[in-house]
Amino acid sequence: RSEAASTMDGVVMRVGEAAAAQPGAAWSIVPASGPRIHFHGTVARFDRFCVPPWGVHFGTFDQAAHVATQRLARLAPRAFARLEEDVRGWRGRIVSARLSLRRVVRLEDHRTRDAWAQAVTSAREAGFDSIVYLNAFEGRCAADSFIVFSREQIDVVDWSAAAGGPA
């Protein structure tokens, strides 16, 4: 890969494996038009994020809805019945947030929690605070997803975004 700058949805990022090996390289994301809103799909009810070893993943609204729907499908009937319904009767939850992304590395999709935990550890040791990857497995079309390593990077806008999409 080259070390050229690339543009993606209002941010400029340096990409390339050679640059990733240099912790001092300029890997910051520079907002072009202010912070964007990202989404996290879940079935859990909570009022603050706990960050697991694989980080907290955010993506498009469509990706978050896909994840929440997958998690709903895995619940036992009793657990599903205990979930609160929204006004449309949907029991999933989509959290919308602004993310603080300062030193970001682009990686391939690692797809499993164990693989992501190793990637987060390596990225953190190299001085990065977040990961971006092309997510082709959640949602109707491929789009970038972001992984943050600490709850301080998450500024929640809405804890219960409606299943119909962002307002």
Side-chain angles (χ1 to χ4, degrees):
R1 293 186 182 172
S2 73
E3 292 185 29
S6 70
T7 302
M8 48 175 239
D9 297 332
V11 296
V12 177
M13 179 182 308
R14 185 173 171 191
V15 297
E17 291 174 8
Q22 304 169 19
W27 274 85
S28 59
I29 286 185
V30 181
S33 59
R36 297 183 315 168
I37 302 295
H38 302 274
F39 302 92
H40 177 83
T42 186
V43 295
R45 297 289 187 249
F46 52 91
D47 59 5
R48 73 179 192 160
F49 280 92
C50 294
V51 181
W54 51 88
V56 181
H57 293 237
F58 287 85
T60 65
F61 184 87
D62 195 51
Q63 289 168 337
H66 185 161
V67 169
T69 302
Q70 287 177 325
R71 293 193 174 147
L72 286 168
R74 290 185 196 127
L75 289 176
R78 284 186 184 187
F80 180 82
R82 286 193 300 264
L83 294 175
E84 295 176 34
E85 294 181 7
D86 71 4
V87 295
R88 295 182 179 105
W90 195 63
R91 291 180 163 100
R93 185 174 186 198
I94 298 175
V95 179
S96 58
R98 288 182 194 90
L99 303 180
S100 173
L101 308 168
R102 290 190 168 77
R103 290 186 45 81
V104 180
V105 62
R106 178 175 283 283
L107 299 177
E108 299 293 322
D109 190 338
H110 285 59
R111 298 179 69 188
T112 68
R113 286 182 173 179
D114 289 343
W116 275 124
Q118 290 176 338
V120 166
T121 298
S122 296
R124 188 177 276 152
E125 288 171 356
F128 298 104
D129 70 355
S130 44
I131 294 170
V132 60
Y133 66 98
L134 183 62
N135 184 342
F137 300 99
E138 295 163 342
R140 289 174 280 194
C141 52
D144 283 334
S145 286
F146 296 85
I147 303 172
V148 296
F149 305 165
S150 74
R151 78 178 88 184
E152 289 77 24
Q153 293 176 267
I154 305 167
D155 177 22
V156 174
V157 174
D158 185 358
W159 283 103
S160 58

